[in-house]
Amino acid sequence: MLTEFAGNLAHHLEFGHALEIVGKTIDGASRFNLSLMTSKSIINPKADIGLRISVYFRENCIVRNARIDGQWGEEEIENISKYSQPNPIASGDFFMIYILCCEEKFHISINSIPYCTFNYRLPLESLRALELKDQIQAIKQIDHRTVFPNPWPPIHASDYFKAFSNDAPILFSPGHVVVMTARCFDNKKGQFIIKFMDTDTKREELHFSVRFNEKVVVRNSHDSKNEFGHEERHGGFPFVFNQQFKLAIAFTEREFLTAVDGYNFCSYSYRTPNILQKLVGFKVACTNGLHMHITGVDHVQMGDPLCTGFEKYTRFDSECA
């Protein structure tokens, strides 16, 4: 089953930023593309592309290029041959692509081995969106971090095969909204859990558990002893199994707000002081045989600490620009 990903980054790219992308192609795949863009293609099909990494399995090569004002530039295909094969990614296997933004160029490694560099052809600050498309079966990690001058969030062990990860290179602040587009399939009695965790303790500050078997959404948090407190379950069950949904989680000064498919769902008051200074991003884990394709994560800063009207971002006739 094919999937893809398109999302707005939490912050435009800068010197010292790094992206870590983990995915898996279908068996017998012939290609896939990873693009860093000025805008998502659904918003602007002619958006400039600052870096496209095109992996061709049959040709056993990885091509890099950029598109500016509708025109593709010169392709680059050479790699750091003493370290790497022409295409170190195997069709049907998981891969990890790491992109580091240095002073004049991207430094790219594949499966933890240096692969190539690519000189900037557009200003880094113009690149605000990421897309991963074509013959992809699973996407497990779209992490965006800073490594210079200060690492953020702290590097942690990644559960490539267990959870979807989306780290952000900035602190969350009131007015920030995370919009996730996804679909659940396979076991309709399973559940998925969204976890926003403390950067130091890995304590779950928001545990958002969508349980198809019970038709309930449970919200909770860990206390100082890493034990769950009182569950909140009110609000009904707005999710439909095997149907795409858009879920927004908004940050105000005092609480999380959530909306699903254009409608407000619930609020959840913060249980830890200064919580927004502690969060590092989120993970999504699935249990009991449920599987999930996350096809988009958009980060929006509304400029309104109350997040008034944030539910509009979850309407299917609306796209986060």
Side-chain angles (χ1 to χ4, degrees), residues 49-53 63-67 74-76 100 104-108 116-122:
I49 300 174
L51 170 64
R52 170 166 287 178
I53 299 174
V63 177
R64 289 83 65 192
N65 208 339
R67 185 180 71 190
E74 181 180 355
E75 292 183 345
E76 297 183 16
L100 176 63
E104 298 178 349
K105 62 185 71 174
F106 296 108
H107 287 250
I108 302 165
C116 68
T117 62
F118 187 83
N119 287 330
Y120 300 142
R121 301 185 190 177
L122 285 171

Side-chain angles (χ1 to χ4, degrees), residues 48 53 84 194 196 221 312:
D48 287 344
I53 299 174
S84 179
I194 302 174
F196 283 85
S221 301
K312 67 184 178 184

Side-chain angles (χ1 to χ4, degrees), residues 30 49 74 94 112 166 197 235 242 254 261 276 303 306 321:
S30 61
I49 300 174
E74 181 180 355
F94 274 91
S112 301
N166 187 258
M197 294 181 289
N242 205 23
R254 297 183 179 182
D261 296 343
L276 297 187
L306 298 178

Side-chain angles (χ1 to χ4, degrees), residues 4-10 40 128-131 139 141-143 164-168 172 176-182 196 246-247 281-282 284 293-300 319-320:
E4 60 184 29
F5 181 92
N8 291 312
L9 301 174
K40 293 188 299 182
R128 299 173 176 271
L130 182 151
E131 295 189 353
I139 300 167
Q141 187 175 344
I142 305 288
D143 281 337
F164 174 87
S165 176
N166 187 258
D167 282 346
F172 291 113
H176 193 121
V177 183
V178 177
V179 183
M180 184 174 72
T181 305
F196 283 85
K246 294 179 77 172
L247 165 67
F282 69 93
V284 182
H293 280 167
I294 297 175
T295 56
V297 176
D298 289 303
H299 291 265
V300 180
E319 279 293 333
C320 300

Side-chain angles (χ1 to χ4, degrees), residues 130-149:
L130 182 151
E131 295 189 353
L132 180 60
K133 295 187 174 183
D134 297 324
Q135 299 184 328
I136 296 292
Q137 179 177 314
I139 300 167
K140 289 296 184 181
Q141 187 175 344
I142 305 288
D143 281 337
H144 183 189
R145 306 183 179 117
T146 63
V147 296
F148 180 86

Side-chain angles (χ1 to χ4, degrees), residues 242-270:
N242 205 23
Q243 181 173 302
Q244 189 179 63
F245 64 86
K246 294 179 77 172
L247 165 67
I249 299 177
F251 302 86
T252 71
E253 294 179 345
R254 297 183 179 182
E255 60 188 354
F256 298 100
L257 303 176
T258 66
V260 179
D261 296 343
Y263 296 95
N264 281 298
F265 174 53
C266 70
S267 62
Y268 182 79
S269 297
Y270 303 148

Side-chain angles (χ1 to χ4, degrees), residues 61-81:
C61 67
I62 298 178
V63 177
R64 289 83 65 192
N65 208 339
R67 185 180 71 190
I68 304 172
D69 295 330
Q71 299 295 317
W72 288 101
E74 181 180 355
E75 292 183 345
E76 297 183 16
I77 197 169
E78 297 299 320
N79 63 309
I80 307 172
S81 58

